[in-house]
Amino acid sequence: SVQAPNSAPAESYRSLRTSIQFVGIQRAPRIIQVTSAHAGEGKTATVSNLGVALARSGQRTVLVDCDLRRGRLHTFFDLKNDVGFTSLYLDEETVATAATPIADVKNLSVVPCGPIPPNPSEILSDKRTGEVLATLLETCDVVLVDCPPVLPVSDPAALSVWVEATILVVSSGVTRKQDVQRAVEILLQGDAPLVGTVLNNVRPQDEYAYASSYYHD
């Protein structure tokens, strides 16, 4: 679920928002991919809460579900999934009909994954995906992209061609160190613009619900 504005986790997502804004030398990245080593490590929750933090800071933000295997972004905002990214990819819908504004969060819209295709990796590596993301960017300040985990499938590497920054989500006490290392290796081998990792599910007694580390050239 999306964190309450005054909660400690919400404050941590605001800190993450600020960190991302300082990643770029010339300007902050505008198309940001969020992935994880395995499923169930919190990438969709990170996309949702980071998106809310960005929107509440005044940035027009679009969340896009490019997990074309097990898309769940729509469930976080109680949306239908009959129209979404795949509809835009096939040119069956426009941004106006595929992106749903979130009523209680000004500046935030969500594009679900839409109908599940038989060939996710081929779609995400196709230049049409880059065109869709570029079109979405024309309507907002930031596009946050939720995509499948790195280790089971090649989708994140395929998608990374079209983004300006990649964030790897790690679950405290769940994600194994060797899996994090392997995920980083795969992303870097594919020239993904990996800027850092986000550690979530930190113990409640810790000050914040996430920790982050960033990679610099």
Side-chain angles (χ1 to χ4, degrees):
S1 62
V2 176
Q3 301 295 336
N6 296 322
S7 65
E11 175 59 32
S12 72
Y13 282 108
R14 287 192 287 271
S15 296
L16 175 59
R17 174 198 70 203
T18 301
S19 297
I20 290 172
Q21 290 171 334
F22 283 98
V23 165
I25 297 176
Q26 301 298 329
R27 63 177 179 83
R30 297 183 62 201
I31 304 180
I32 303 169
Q33 170 189 23
V34 180
T35 185
S36 58
H38 293 287
E41 295 176 339
K43 64 181 180 60
T44 302
T46 298
V47 168
S48 301
N49 285 287
L50 176 57
V52 169
L54 287 164
R56 285 176 173 157
S57 74
Q59 298 188 66
R60 296 170 300 161
T61 306
V62 174
L63 311 184
V64 187
D65 197 341
C66 284
D67 188 337
L68 305 184
R69 300 174 189 270
R70 298 177 58 188
R72 296 178 56 246
L73 188 59
H74 62 284
T75 65
F76 275 71
F77 296 93
D78 195 25
L79 303 176
K80 294 181 179 180
N81 193 37
D82 51 342
V83 171
F85 172 81
T86 52
S87 309
L88 290 172
Y89 177 87
L90 295 173
D91 205 20
E92 296 176 343
E93 301 285 342
T94 65
V95 172
T97 56
T100 301
I102 303 305
D104 55 349
V105 184
K106 185 180 179 182
N107 298 317
L108 184 66
S109 296
V110 175
V111 178
C113 66
I116 300 298
N119 54 342
S121 289
E122 292 178 21
I123 288 176
L124 295 177
S125 63
D126 187 78
K127 67 177 183 179
R128 174 63 184 154
T129 287
E131 293 170 356
V132 171
L133 295 178
T135 300
L136 288 169
L137 195 59
E138 293 174 0
T139 70
C140 65
D141 300 309
V142 182
V143 174
L144 283 183
V145 186
D146 186 2
C147 73
V150 175
L151 297 185
V153 293
S154 61
D155 300 12
L159 181 64
S160 67
V161 175
W162 314 116
V163 306
E164 297 175 349
T166 299
I167 295 173
L168 180 67
V169 175
V170 177
S171 182
S172 176
V174 174
T175 312
R176 298 184 303 173
K177 181 179 179 180
Q178 56 265 42
D179 288 342
V180 176
Q181 293 174 333
R182 182 56 183 152
V184 169
E185 289 173 1
I186 291 173
L187 290 169
L188 294 180
Q189 286 170 0
D191 291 327
L194 184 62
V195 297
T197 59
V198 171
L199 177 65
N200 66 13
N201 292 329
V202 178
R203 295 172 301 173
Q205 61 265 35
D206 291 339
E207 181 178 4
Y208 293 122
Y210 91 97
S212 62
S213 61
Y214 287 86
Y215 304 92
H216 299 280
D217 293 333

